[in-house]
Structures are given as structure tokens and as C-alpha cells.
Amino acid sequence: MHRITTISLFALFIGQSAHAAWVPVDCKDRPLEVQSLHRAIGVADLEKVRQSYRAAVLKAKPRSPLYAPHPYPRTREEIIENFRHAYFDRLFAGKSLETLPERERPIYEALKEGRLRVDVLRIENWDLSRCTGESPSSFYYLLRFFDPSTGKEVARSKQFETGHMGIYRHASLDPQGSLPALAEVPAVLRSRFSRTMPVEQPQYVMAAGLPHCWDDSPCIAFKSQGKLYLLDGGELLYEIDAGAPRTSVTARREQQIREGLQPLGVTEMNAPLISLGFEWARARRVGGQKPQ
């Protein structure tokens, strides 16, 4: 079997191993509110649900929807093998090259022949699902696929902590924007925002609230001089004052039930709410131009 060429510079481990993964407010920081929310959404014992789900994943056999060659993978190689299984044996199982969408054929062939470079990134989950999902989801993996001859990114895929594929997206379907390397953050701040500041504990994050901190297009969070910052696609810089008022998840949920979905406007782009794990805070745009 051909193997995908991996030149990720051990992004999974080196990219964030210098600093422990972090979240401003974790589930364990709000145990009573977590329990209250679980009751509100009809889950009496989430821990029991999670233990049952983990056991089912670990026992799953080939052909089961819960099967992954390496459940709860620990290495980059295991993550990539899980992707290959999901791609060839699930997503495009039984399909010949001629029957694939035309835009997919070069990627399919390149994956078969091991001609793509793959970066594996760990993304911290600051969304509410961190504390409410049937499987613990404090992080996931983002696989980025590049054509080595052009350096162009051709696809991205999300892989859950369990080893299952979450998203696969061809780059031409939805341009995801830039995603700087963590080591490049100080240079990005200087060149794009004219800011020279210490960058502490940078990490990739997915969060609700901001326009572009999505599953396959995460933001970069870092600390600096007592404040939190979010770099959105390398284009917008948001600041979250550590002393700013916070909104509980319960209060935010009740507000959303009352008001329903609201369209994004100028206020949301300049000062959006953002989920910080099990809490919400108002961010402030301090750099970059908002999309037109």
C-alpha cells in the first residue's frame, strides 16, 4: 500500500508541545452549570453516555460505522491511516477514478500514489460541544493536504479525537483563507498589524461566535500581557480583556431561545461574542479590516 508523504514537522506534537493545551473556562470549572445544562438538554448522566460510546468505538469491527483502524489515535501515522480508511473505504468506497467528480480525481490519484504533503494540526475546541458531546471533544485534528510541486493546498479534513472523519473538503469548494504557523504569529502581528508584543501559548482553536473560527478554518489564540487574543485567518485581530464581563452558557442559551438566529451585522464583526469553552465573552476587533 502506498503511504502519504508526511512532512508536517511533527505539527501535532511540536506545534503545541512547548505549551500545554488550554481553554479559558473548562467544563470542570463550572460543574453545577454543566449538570444543569445536561438536564436541560435531556442527558441525565453524560459520563455514562461517554463511557458507553468510547467502549463501542474501541470494540467496533470493520464495516461498523464506529470503526476506525486506530481508535483514539496517538501518533501522526495513525491519524493519517484513519484518514485513508475514511477516504478510500468509506467516502469513495467502490468508486472508480472515472466516476469521481472531476475536481477530485487529481487528489484521489495523488493520495493513492503518496504524492501529497500532509500537515496534521491539533485544534482546541472552545465550542459548547466541548462539554456536551456524547464523546469528549476537547480537541480534534485538522489534516491539510498540499501539492509539493506547487505548494498549493488542495484539501482539508477534520478528524475527531475518536479517529473518525468529521469533514473532508476540497480546497476549490470553499477557500478557507490563510492559516499561519504558530511560530509565525509574532511576524504576522508585526507585518499586518504593526504590533510588537509577546506571544504566549499560541494554539489553534475552534470557537462559536466569531465569523471564521470554524472546524476547518480555525483561529489562533494566544495570551499576551494578561489579555487573550484571537487571530482570525491571519487577517483580523481580536482582543478579549481578561477582566471584561462574561456571559454564562446557560444565560446565552436562554437568550438564543428567546431571540432565535440573528444575522451578523457591523456590531458582530467589530465586537462579536465568542465562546471560551463553558462561557461567552465579548471580543474587540483591534486590527485588520472587516470583510465587505
Side-chain angles (χ1 to χ4, degrees), residues 248-263:
S248 73
V249 163
T250 302
R252 176 63 175 159
R253 180 173 181 270
E254 292 172 351
Q255 178 189 14
Q256 290 175 317
I257 291 174
R258 289 195 307 270
E259 299 178 357
L261 293 176
Q262 300 294 319

Side-chain angles (χ1 to χ4, degrees), residues 123-136:
I123 315 297
E124 295 305 311
N125 180 16
W126 287 10
D127 186 58
L128 183 62
S129 60
R130 180 185 184 94
C131 301
T132 60
E134 66 177 357
S135 175

Side-chain angles (χ1 to χ4, degrees), residues 111-264:
L111 286 170
K112 277 285 189 184
E113 298 171 7
R115 291 188 283 107
L116 291 185
R117 191 189 93 213
V118 186
D119 286 356
V120 180
L121 307 178
R122 172 175 166 139
I123 315 297
E124 295 305 311
N125 180 16
W126 287 10
D127 186 58
L128 183 62
S129 60
R130 180 185 184 94
C131 301
T132 60
E134 66 177 357
S135 175
S137 55
S138 57
F139 70 92
Y140 62 90
Y141 305 109
L142 180 65
L143 288 76
R144 304 178 68 193
F145 300 89
F146 296 85
D147 182 340
S149 62
T150 64
K152 181 181 178 181
E153 186 175 10
V154 296
R156 290 186 185 183
S157 181
K158 172 182 177 179
Q159 186 173 134
F160 292 108
E161 183 181 355
T162 57
H164 301 128
M165 178 187 286
I167 290 174
Y168 170 74
R169 184 168 293 170
H170 192 279
S172 66
L173 294 180
D174 182 19
Q176 294 95 343
S178 61
L179 185 59
L182 298 181
E184 296 173 352
V185 173
V188 171
L189 295 175
R190 288 193 300 269
S191 64
R192 298 184 183 177
F193 308 110
S194 300
R195 283 175 171 256
T196 301
M197 56 197 300
V199 174
E200 305 163 6
Q201 297 180 273
Q203 63 180 11
Y204 298 107
V205 301
M206 185 272 280
L210 276 176
H212 299 109
C213 291
W214 298 335
D215 291 54
D216 59 347
S217 185
C219 292
I220 296 175
F222 63 93
K223 302 176 183 179
S224 184
Q225 300 173 319
K227 295 181 180 179
L228 303 182
Y229 289 88
L230 281 158
L231 187 57
D232 181 354
E235 303 297 331
L236 300 175
L237 182 64
Y238 290 93
E239 175 188 286
I240 304 173
D241 194 317
R246 302 286 180 88
T247 301
S248 73
V249 163
T250 302
R252 176 63 175 159
R253 180 173 181 270
E254 292 172 351
Q255 178 189 14
Q256 290 175 317
I257 291 174
R258 289 195 307 270
E259 299 178 357
L261 293 176
Q262 300 294 319
L264 284 176

Side-chain angles (χ1 to χ4, degrees), residues 53-65:
Y53 186 83
R54 180 181 178 88
V57 171
L58 292 173
K59 292 189 299 184
K61 303 298 182 183
R63 299 182 183 277
S64 164

Side-chain angles (χ1 to χ4, degrees), residues 42-64:
V43 181
D45 190 344
L46 184 63
E47 185 57 35
K48 181 178 180 180
V49 171
R50 288 180 166 180
Q51 289 176 0
S52 297
Y53 186 83
R54 180 181 178 88
V57 171
L58 292 173
K59 292 189 299 184
K61 303 298 182 183
R63 299 182 183 277
S64 164

